[in-house]
């Protein structure tokens, strides 16, 4: 399984990484798909953390409102992509 770490550039002072899995959906046996689902859950958790960090830094005045909104929109779009993959996981394979 090939993975790449991409640095989050969502706010200053935050040095978190999000793991993106680069392989087609449903490749492999059930155990590999299960691990993909766990990776997706960790990715969702990192997006929640990013939104929390944006809110915290915005309340402290360390980032602008525009930057916080842009980064939150990015996190929401990425979260939607993960959730759409989960919808595919739940459908029975024929």
């Amino acid at each position: 399984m090939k993975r790449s770490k991409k640095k989050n550039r969502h706010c200053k002072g935050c040095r978190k990484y999000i793991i993106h899995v680069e392989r087609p959906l449903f490749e492999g046996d059930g155990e590999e798909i299960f691990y993909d689902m766990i990776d997706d859950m960790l990715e969702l958790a990192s997006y929640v953390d990013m939104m929390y960090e944006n809110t915290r830094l915005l309340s402290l005045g360390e980032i602008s409102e525009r930057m916080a909104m842009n980064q939150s929109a990015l996190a929401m779009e990425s979260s939607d992509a993960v959730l759409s993959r989960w919808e595919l996981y739940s459908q029975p394979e024929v």
Side-chain angles (χ1 to χ4, degrees):
M1 178 165 59
K2 184 178 179 183
R3 296 180 183 189
S4 66
K5 290 188 176 184
K6 296 183 180 179
K7 186 172 182 179
N8 255 346
R9 295 175 297 172
H10 65 281
C11 58
K12 71 179 184 180
C14 198
R15 305 194 193 310
K16 302 210 183 287
Y17 291 84
I18 297 175
I19 298 174
H20 297 277
V21 177
E22 298 175 356
R23 71 179 198 169
L25 190 64
F26 301 129
E27 180 182 296
D29 59 6
E31 187 175 331
E32 291 177 3
I33 293 171
F34 176 74
Y35 288 125
D36 286 345
M37 293 172 79
I38 291 175
D39 287 341
D40 287 343
M41 288 178 64
L42 292 172
E43 189 173 342
L44 282 174
S46 67
Y47 292 136
V48 170
D49 183 49
M50 179 184 5
M51 292 179 73
Y52 168 76
E53 191 69 18
N54 279 339
T55 305
R56 187 183 72 77
L57 290 174
L58 181 63
S59 69
L60 295 173
E62 293 185 17
I63 60 173
S64 68
E65 183 177 331
R66 183 180 203 171
M67 180 183 220
M69 291 297 289
N70 287 338
Q71 294 302 323
S72 294
L74 174 68
M76 291 298 292
E77 290 171 9
S78 301
S79 298
D80 285 341
V82 170
L83 293 176
S84 67
R85 282 196 307 264
W86 272 66
E87 288 176 5
L88 293 176
Y89 290 141
S90 68
Q91 296 178 5
E93 191 173 314
V94 179

